[in-house]
Amino acid sequence: MKIIAYGIRDDERPYLEQWSQAQGIDVKAVGDLLDETTVDLAKGYDGAVVYQQKPYTAAVLDKLAANGITNLSLRNVGVDNVDADAVKRNGFKVTNVPAYSPAAIAEFTVTELMRLLRRTPTFDRKQAQGDLRWAPDIADELNSMTVGVVATGRIGRAALKIYQGFGAKVIAYDVFHNPELEKQGLYVDTLDELYAQADVISLHAPATKDNHNMLNDAAFAKMKDGVWILNPARGALVDTDALIRALDSGKVAGAALDVYENEVGIFNTDFGSFDAVPDERLKNLMRRDNVLISPHIAFYTKTAVKNMVQYALNNNKQLIETGQAENEVQF
């Protein structure tokens, strides 16, 4: 059995080598991402393990299949960038890692909220200028707020428990109700109800056609004045222009975004200076004390990286051996 793993970073390599040695399976680690220029490296292998934000296009998948590989294991959750028609046409088996560390993302989300509520970005800037005064930057307390959690999968539930630990009132919305949360009576029937009641909106939904830009002008208009927005999920959930307008008007008090609509090619890149960042809307947000931008790092812990690598390799091994895997994604 031979597996090729694309886009392997230095922080992933030790976990890949650990798994390869323990399993006695040859795994070729490639630093480059899977695309039309690297797909031929997969010739002679039985499966491919990948991680990237750029699309898995039909051209790439067709060529991968022509090279004899139809076992594809993603080291991440989202599959919205995989060409579904090409998957079906070529008979691909695709797996993901649905829960590499829900706690990592949940903890980061709440940490960013606390930074916003306690105005730490403002105090950091003031102190760098020698200003050690308190006023006028008085804080808010999470324990007195209502937090609306959108989507109650593993990550949403992990975040929800942390919010409850702070003493916040929590409400939730999901098309599919978790039985435990149902018993607690946490669900509201519609997003409009959640928007109307929540002081904080915490997004934990996957990106789908149905929820593209779900936080748009119409949605913001239904929210409380001074609402806080948290998005560690997918950039496509938030209409960036609408968010900027809501921040400008004061409808939104602040936001923490670990993802961004146009993050591909921008996040995880060193541009050398702030001015060189090639996205004016992103720079608009980054200039604000009441907006926290992080480059898709909520997942980025040692535990999560190990799980992403080794769970994906386990999935690929299962596909090669049996044609099935527990984390197989249906298209």
Side-chain angles (χ1 to χ4, degrees):
M1 184 187 301
K2 296 171 63 178
I3 296 172
I4 184 169
Y6 284 94
I8 294 295
R9 306 182 305 268
D10 289 344
D11 55 80
E12 295 178 305
R13 195 172 294 271
Y15 304 120
L16 181 148
E17 292 173 351
Q18 182 186 75
W19 185 91
S20 177
Q21 292 171 7
Q23 298 290 331
I25 295 173
D26 178 23
V27 181
K28 179 179 178 63
V30 177
D32 295 324
L33 299 174
L34 172 64
D35 59 24
E36 292 186 65
T37 68
T38 61
V39 66
D40 284 340
L41 296 174
K43 288 180 180 178
Y45 287 85
D46 303 299
V49 170
V50 295
Y51 176 83
Q52 63 201 67
Q53 294 174 304
K54 60 197 295 188
Y56 300 88
T57 64
V60 170
L61 294 179
D62 288 345
K63 201 165 186 181
L64 191 63
N67 286 335
I69 292 185
T70 54
N71 297 310
L72 187 66
S73 295
L74 280 62
R75 301 197 297 279
N76 54 286
V77 180
V79 296
D80 49 294
N81 58 343
V82 181
D83 190 298
D85 291 335
V87 166
K88 296 172 185 175
R89 181 172 63 250
N90 291 294
F92 271 95
K93 296 284 187 177
V94 179
T95 63
N96 68 349
V97 182
Y100 34 86
S101 183
I105 298 169
E107 289 175 6
F108 184 84
T109 305
V110 182
T111 298
E112 294 292 87
L113 173 61
M114 294 308 301
R115 290 180 65 202
L116 288 171
L117 296 183
R118 298 311 304 254
R119 312 301 197 268
T120 58
T122 297
F123 282 107
D124 288 345
R125 175 181 52 77
K126 287 169 64 174
Q127 289 175 159
Q129 298 169 350
D131 184 351
L132 302 180
R133 294 173 297 175
W134 308 338
D137 303 299
I138 194 166
D140 293 294
E141 296 184 19
L142 179 53
N143 68 81
S144 65
M145 294 183 166
T146 296
V147 179
V149 174
V150 178
T152 54
R154 294 177 178 90
I155 298 170
R157 294 198 304 275
L160 186 150
K161 289 180 180 179
I162 299 174
Y163 292 130
Q164 290 177 322
F166 273 90
K169 177 183 177 181
V170 179
I171 58 176
Y173 175 81
D174 200 316
V175 176
F176 304 101
H177 287 194
N178 175 270
E180 180 183 340
L181 302 186
E182 185 79 75
K183 290 178 183 178
Q184 296 180 46
L186 300 184
Y187 285 108
V188 294
D189 294 329
T190 66
L191 278 171
D192 284 357
E193 290 179 68
L194 184 141
Y195 294 156
Q197 297 179 40
D199 301 297
V200 177
I201 294 176
S202 191
L203 301 178
H204 302 283
T208 67
K209 292 180 181 178
D210 292 335
N211 64 20
H212 181 77
N213 280 182
M214 61 182 290
L215 295 198
N216 52 26
D217 288 315
F220 287 125
K222 297 172 183 176
M223 298 176 192
K224 289 184 176 182
D225 292 340
V227 67
W228 302 88
I229 302 297
L230 310 174
N231 186 13
R234 286 290 180 267
L237 298 177
V238 177
D239 180 331
T240 303
D241 291 324
L243 175 61
I244 289 173
R245 287 190 286 270
L247 286 162
D248 287 343
S249 71
K251 167 61 77 169
V252 171
L257 309 176
D258 187 54
V259 290
Y260 177 66
E261 273 191 292
N262 301 316
E263 69 181 60
V264 176
I266 297 178
F267 282 1
N268 204 25
T269 301
D270 182 1
F271 292 102
S273 71
F274 178 83
D275 289 341
V277 174
D279 190 305
E280 291 304 318
R281 294 187 306 169
L282 182 60
K283 288 194 284 189
N284 178 313
L285 294 169
M286 292 172 69
R287 290 187 185 99
R288 300 171 186 251
D289 282 353
N290 63 337
V291 177
L292 297 174
I293 301 292
S294 49
H296 211 138
I297 59 170
F299 80 97
Y300 195 48
T301 66
K302 295 172 184 176
T303 297
V305 170
K306 177 181 179 180
N307 289 342
M308 293 168 75
V309 171
Q310 298 192 349
Y311 289 2
L313 287 165
N314 285 334
N315 287 337
N316 210 244
K317 178 175 179 285
Q318 290 174 10
L319 289 178
I320 295 167
E321 289 180 336
T322 70
Q324 297 177 324
E326 58 183 326
N327 293 319
E328 188 174 343
V329 179
Q330 301 300 321
F331 285 87

